[in-house]
Amino acid sequence: MFRKSLAIFLFCIAFANAQKKINLDTGWKFHFGHAANPEKDFNYSTATIYSKSGGAAKTAIDTKFVDSTWTNVTLPHDWAVELPFVNSPNFDVESHGYKPVGGLYPETSIGWYRKHFNLDKSDSDKRFEIQFDGIFRNATIWLNGFFVGNNFSGYVGKSYDITDYLNFDKENVIVVRVDATQYEGWFYEGAGIYRHVWLNTFNNIHIPEDGLFVHSTVNGKNTDVTIETEVENKNFNPSDCVVYSYITDRKGKQIAKTNEQKISLSVNQKSTVKQKLTITNADLWSLENPYLYKVVSVVKQGNQIIDKRKSNFGIRTLRFDANEGFFLNGKHIKIQGTNNHQDHAGLGSALPDYLQYYRIKLLKELGSNAYRTSHNAPTPELLEACDSLGMLVLDEQRLLNSSPEYLDQFERLIRRDRNHPSVFLWSIGNEEGWIQKTETGKKIAQTLLAKQKQLDPTRTSTYAADMGNEFNGVNEVIPIRGFNYRQFAVADYHRDHPNQPLIGTEMGSTVTTRGIYEKDSIRAYVPDQDITAPWWASKAEDWWKLAAENKYWLGGFVWTGFDYRGEPTPYKWPNINSHFGIMDVCGFPKNIYYYYKSWWTNEDVLHISPHWNWPDKVGKPIDVWVNTNADDVELFLNGKSLGKKQMPRNSHLQWEVVYEPGTLEAVAYKKGKKLTAKVETTGQPVKVILSPDKTLMIANGYDADIINVSFVDKDGKEVPDANNMVNFIISGDAKIIGVGNGDPSSHEADKCVDGAWQRSAFNGKCQIIIQSGKTVGSIKLEAKANGLISASTTIQTK
């Protein structure tokens, strides 16, 4: 057991008398190093640290180093989001959101982390492993002065056995040096230990990390479940043990159990035990009912359980047909996907777990059924959210590369994620323009595909190719052809290669700014309608009509579901994030949201845009768009009909309306059912409104909540163009961890000093993210804006 002095909170997952998974997110110290000045980098490049094991004198690696003046931080931690914006002409700085991280900024591109902890002597016979879920990037780890390892990747996690270096009679010190001077992508990537860290303890005979693989085959009413359990012996002598597994339903009831199987292991040997169980009338994992079973693999010696591993899994069938499309459990499903990077307003890349569920929930409400992890290994909690909520995942490798480093990254990705039922397809890379049409690219792809089949024979792969009707290279060997744009070449490619399934791995890329209706090259805004796309991309209606109306399209993934930091297409400074999202960086819908929702759901959708506050345009024409899935629409201005129009499928309707204040109303009929929607001219804002996503939080120190801010006029009408500055005050055991507003050109701070949290609204909205403490009770959040009636909301914690 751990003594109370060990500053570890969040949560601990204990497996009987066997494995423990203890969260190490609290109690870290942080300080910038320096990529060009050794003295400011704690002598890292001038002191000799690799000549003798455990020797690191005069550096921050030394256990005696005093870090009392360093900043206290809790993980996940992204130091980049806290830095100011800088106007740089460098393309990479621009594409990463104008944050001073990278080789041009040596003073803010190296980060040092240190953590002190104690262990109880009663655990000295256990094995210990430290697990980092994600560090950006090139992280070097030491424990008690001993070099532990290096993780080159900024996305795929890595674990290290640290048993030999631990102290049980004095303090232990973990040190991590993070080097973000080099980029991996061309988008905001953050910097630091931005995912969870765990301390895993287990027996010398144990199931290693990702050593449990479960997969199934459905045969009518019976489902055969195969459980592959890898067991490792780290004793100094050969050892025997017994392995068995059982399955529980979602309520925890045991429904099947294997026989016990004895195995003998030599020193350091790993052996895989393959066992099978049958489930009759299994509940299938689906988008509507994402049913999860649990498998538990157990290792015994004598009558004692010495190790356990648990994994959720789902039972489902996948079929990709080159002519008929994609089938989940025998049901035809058109892939209605979105691409997404991993950052969110106010937080950068360091998201609390709750945010993963919040974002997937928003995408589900849109009507999306699939998520591409562009262009890297996702955080494990994202996949857990997709498993639980019913969202398919296209899981992507960072690079099309078959070197030992990238093969290892691919293996770690697959072994980590292959039990997730949401993962329906792997991607071996994205837009590798140097090699994708070449024999070299083809050979690399074949190597990666062979590795995928070795590790996960239950799935197949695609590759995101920005190529038209071209076959040479990767496309010759990839099982499912991926199209990044080039949507008008899909039909020709299918004609020439009719037996190869195909999917739109990146489609759309309309650029819009929420609530803006005229191009503004000074503030770097584009109109909030489906009218503007880069030369290499397409508008929503251009691609979706083709995908929706042709069965041989499996479907596609829009670029992107959410706006993200960096890639400020089609502008540069002062624009610091993208315009590609169906929603902005906060998750507030843009008008294109209602186009996709109209055709991606069976819900009744009737949406009018723009808003109706145009005091400078009285008597002038306004371009009015209606997005709906109704059969016809009639538009009225202040009660006067402006005409009725039939609604073409997978399209929208437009009217040119001479502006006058009042009410613009749409009346539609859908299979005889009347639908109505309206936009109204409002007065000035008089009151702030707070809308929390939930009113009950868990008092565990890591749960979070989103509170959205809006404004109403004296008649209670929401004001769509309010831009007031809002100040936030929180009381109770909780803290504010970020603010945002969706403005792609806002340079306001995402992180504020405690007691001085604020954010201006952008076109009627802003957002605040809070995190719970550990005390049960009430949290009160107040929002104040000059001259307006304040708002408050109370959130209970349990």
Side-chain angles (χ1 to χ4, degrees), residues 160-366:
Y160 307 90
D161 190 319
I162 55 174
T163 305
D164 294 347
Y165 314 125
L166 286 168
N167 298 318
F168 293 90
D169 55 356
K170 61 181 179 179
E171 187 177 67
N172 295 279
V173 182
I174 304 170
V175 180
V176 182
R177 182 181 186 266
V178 182
D179 183 348
T181 54
Q182 184 57 265
Y183 305 115
E184 290 192 50
W186 51 96
F187 40 84
Y188 181 87
E189 299 183 274
I193 309 178
Y194 70 97
R195 294 180 184 168
H196 294 306
V197 178
W198 308 90
L199 185 65
N200 303 323
T201 69
F202 40 81
N203 194 281
N204 281 330
I205 301 176
H206 60 274
I207 304 167
E209 180 189 9
D210 304 325
L212 173 58
F213 180 30
V214 56
H215 49 97
S216 60
T217 303
V218 178
N219 299 299
K221 292 184 178 181
N222 293 329
T223 298
D224 296 325
V225 180
T226 301
I227 304 161
E228 300 183 34
T229 305
E230 187 179 276
V231 184
E232 181 177 23
N233 177 28
K234 298 296 287 187
N235 284 319
F236 295 130
N237 51 273
S239 301
D240 297 333
C241 64
V242 168
V243 179
Y244 68 90
S245 301
Y246 61 90
I247 295 172
T248 64
D249 63 16
R250 64 165 41 157
K251 295 181 180 179
K253 179 183 177 182
Q254 183 175 306
I255 59 173
K257 182 182 177 182
T258 69
N259 294 324
E260 295 186 356
Q261 184 171 337
K262 183 179 179 181
I263 59 172
S264 298
L265 298 167
S266 59
V267 176
N268 288 325
Q269 182 185 356
K270 289 183 181 179
S271 181
T272 298
V273 175
K274 184 178 289 189
Q275 298 169 305
K276 289 191 176 183
L277 291 169
T278 299
I279 300 176
T280 302
N281 296 322
D283 289 288
L284 302 185
W285 185 94
S286 67
L287 303 175
E288 302 79 16
N289 179 31
Y291 193 97
L292 295 175
Y293 291 93
K294 189 183 299 293
V295 62
V296 182
S297 285
V298 181
V299 181
K300 285 176 59 178
Q301 273 192 324
N303 293 320
Q304 183 181 9
I305 293 175
I306 59 172
D307 199 21
K308 270 187 184 180
R309 272 204 186 262
K310 303 179 183 180
S311 178
N312 289 334
F313 73 99
I315 296 170
R316 79 284 186 275
T317 65
L318 309 172
R319 181 163 72 90
F320 300 89
D321 189 283
N323 295 301
E324 296 298 317
F326 170 67
F327 294 81
L328 177 64
N329 302 326
K331 177 184 176 182
H332 181 262
I333 300 287
K334 184 73 77 171
I335 299 300
Q336 299 168 171
T338 64
N339 289 270
N340 292 285
H341 289 309
Q342 60 183 2
D343 60 293
H344 189 88
L347 303 172
S349 296
L351 275 61
D353 297 349
Y354 153 79
L355 261 291
Q356 308 296 345
Y357 290 82
Y358 179 78
R359 287 163 63 89
I360 296 301
K361 179 186 72 171
L362 293 184
L363 292 170
K364 289 272 290 185
E365 291 171 353
L366 161 69

Side-chain angles (χ1 to χ4, degrees), residues 133 155 194-196 342 353 356 376-384 416:
D133 283 349
Y155 297 101
Y194 70 97
R195 294 180 184 168
H196 294 306
Q342 60 183 2
D353 297 349
Q356 308 296 345
N376 48 261
T379 186
E381 290 74 27
L382 171 76
L383 298 183
E384 291 169 8
R416 189 195 70 173

